[in-house]
Amino acid sequence: MSIAALPDLRTARRLVVKVGSALLVEDGAARSAWLATLATEIAELRKTTQIIVVSSGAIALGAAKLGLPKGGRGSLADAQAAASVGQVLLARLWSDALGEHGLTAAQMLVTLGDLEDRRRYLNASATLARLIETGAVPVVNENDSVATEEIRFGDNDRLAARVAQAADADGVLLLSDVDGLYDRDPREDGASLVPVVSGVTPEVIAMASGASSSGLGSGGMTAKLQAARIAERAGIALAIINGTQPSPIARALDSGVGTLFLPQADSSARKAWLGGRLAPSGVLSVDAGCMAALAQGASVLAAGITALEGEFARGDLVAIHGPGGERLGQGLVEYTAAECRAILGLREEQQEAKLGYAPRAAVVHRDHMVHA
């Protein structure tokens, strides 16, 4: 199955549909009539395509119920309290809307750690697979009732891409309040919609604005591009479409209006998981020689490391930066932070005296590393 244009997403075997807060909630109340049209579309798609929903809205719904200021985002405690109440309301909304079409909604709340830790990631993947096998429609959201500022996805765009990866989906549909990616701020004269993107390059990232226009959600266009990068690495197509009108999926796929990000690679499952991880424990900075070697597929050796940040254990995820601070990739480190500091800049024959044992083949082996 090949996805080369927006309408091709109708042929996807498995599709993740992400719904943002601004689409689902207005003035503290659910847009029930709009949701009913979306549920009808999901039911229609379900005839040929397995659907997973990633839905925001718990904090907005809960804040209105509790009368919390700033939509529940005035403090971490407010957001967690709002989410606790809102998750019940959100689950009921989806259960009722999908139930009208004889579909069973299954709530699945995840944290960043559930998809960062390899074993928990595989557990989440197995749960999604079993739910789909039973005919249920998984409705996934970040568990904001326990997530903290430091350890969270922070937006459901990137969560949707990670869920798609865990669920072995073919495509992701991000429903937004704009038609897609524009070559500049869409409010500017002459701004043009970009219909297809083949690779999220620095030039593409420069087109984005990080602002969320609604004030309800937490992800702007920058978060959507980060999601696209996660998806493309895993061989998954991702599209941004306008979700503000009734029956948004049919409107976008029939007209072809939106932005489609084409898959760029179909990495191994492990490398795709590594590439999608969002919370490295530290940073290794390397010199120009090491950066050039990495571009040719080499591993990170101690001799090429110039500095490091953070405290990490062997097996933790670390980011790899070039001499100018540019992000080169990330991977699983073979040493603790203390061991890395001891052998920083040393060649192999010098390392044993510092470590007290024969050094490993690399600090970050190429088999356990992905490039940015």
Side-chain angles (χ1 to χ4, degrees):
M1 189 272 301
S2 175
I3 295 175
L6 205 59
D8 293 343
L9 286 169
R10 278 201 174 98
T11 68
R13 172 187 56 88
R14 187 171 293 171
L15 189 64
V16 173
V17 177
K18 181 262 179 179
V19 181
S21 296
L23 300 178
L24 194 62
V25 183
E26 186 173 31
D27 297 327
R31 297 178 67 207
S32 299
W34 175 88
L35 179 58
T37 70
L38 180 61
T40 299
E41 291 194 294
I42 289 173
E44 185 63 27
L45 283 169
R46 269 290 306 271
K47 294 176 181 178
T48 57
T49 303
Q50 297 166 342
I51 301 294
I52 297 167
V53 174
V54 172
S55 178
S56 305
I59 291 177
L61 289 168
K65 186 75 172 178
L66 296 174
L68 295 173
K70 300 181 181 180
R73 297 184 183 274
S75 69
L76 177 60
D78 279 2
Q80 291 176 324
S84 297
V85 172
Q87 282 161 0
V88 177
L89 303 174
L90 185 65
R92 184 183 304 154
L93 274 177
W94 280 105
S95 180
D96 291 347
L98 293 174
E100 287 293 319
H101 301 277
L103 298 176
T104 299
Q107 184 189 54
M108 186 169 172
L109 299 175
V110 298
T111 63
L112 179 65
D114 292 327
L115 298 181
E116 293 285 289
D117 178 85
R118 182 66 174 167
R119 180 175 295 179
R120 288 156 68 187
Y121 171 89
L122 293 174
N123 287 339
S125 179
T127 300
L128 286 166
R130 183 61 180 141
L131 285 171
I132 291 168
E133 188 178 280
T134 65
V137 177
V139 179
V140 185
N141 193 10
E142 182 164 15
N143 193 353
D144 288 309
S145 62
V146 297
T148 66
E149 297 283 4
E150 297 82 10
I151 309 173
R152 64 194 303 264
F153 282 96
D155 64 81
N156 274 358
D157 299 312
R158 293 183 296 174
L159 174 60
R162 288 289 267 161
V163 167
Q165 184 185 350
D168 190 27
D170 304 305
V172 180
L173 269 178
L174 301 181
L175 275 58
S176 179
D177 55 1
V178 294
D179 288 337
L181 174 67
Y182 284 79
D183 60 358
R184 69 198 78 172
D185 191 318
R187 293 168 291 193
E188 293 183 14
D189 290 339
S192 298
L193 182 68
V194 181
V196 179
V197 175
S198 184
V200 180
T201 63
E203 291 76 20
V204 170
I205 292 172
M207 299 176 187
S209 165
S212 177
S213 59
S214 69
L216 284 178
S218 51
M221 189 55 67
T222 298
K224 289 173 176 56
L225 294 187
Q226 291 169 343
R229 178 170 277 178
I230 293 169
E232 70 181 21
R233 185 187 296 278
I236 299 169
L238 180 142
I240 302 170
I241 64 172
N242 194 318
T244 55
Q245 298 300 312
S247 305
I249 297 175
R251 283 172 176 264
L253 299 191
D254 288 343
S255 65
V257 174
T259 299
L260 176 67
F261 295 83
L262 299 175
Q264 294 304 295
D266 193 1
S267 303
S268 68
R270 183 176 176 80
K271 284 216 169 186
W273 168 75
L274 276 175
R277 289 184 65 182
L278 302 171
S281 299
V283 177
L284 302 180
S285 295
V286 302
D287 59 25
C290 183
M291 182 170 72
L294 291 179
Q296 301 301 314
S299 302
V300 176
L301 304 181
I305 301 174
T306 58
L308 62 90
E309 300 172 22
E311 295 299 327
F312 45 84
R314 184 187 181 200
D316 282 353
L317 181 76
V318 294
I320 302 158
H321 289 184
E326 60 273 46
R327 190 181 180 94
L328 304 179
Q330 59 189 35
L332 304 181
V333 67
E334 294 285 348
Y335 294 99
T336 66
E339 289 170 324
C340 280
R341 290 189 180 96
I343 61 174
L344 183 136
L346 300 183
R347 297 192 176 280
E348 186 176 355
E349 61 272 16
Q350 302 170 300
Q351 294 172 26
E352 186 169 357
K354 289 283 187 180
L355 294 170
Y357 60 84
R360 299 185 178 93
V363 175
V364 181
H365 196 277
R366 64 185 180 184
D367 290 345
H368 306 301
M369 177 173 57
V370 290
H371 295 274

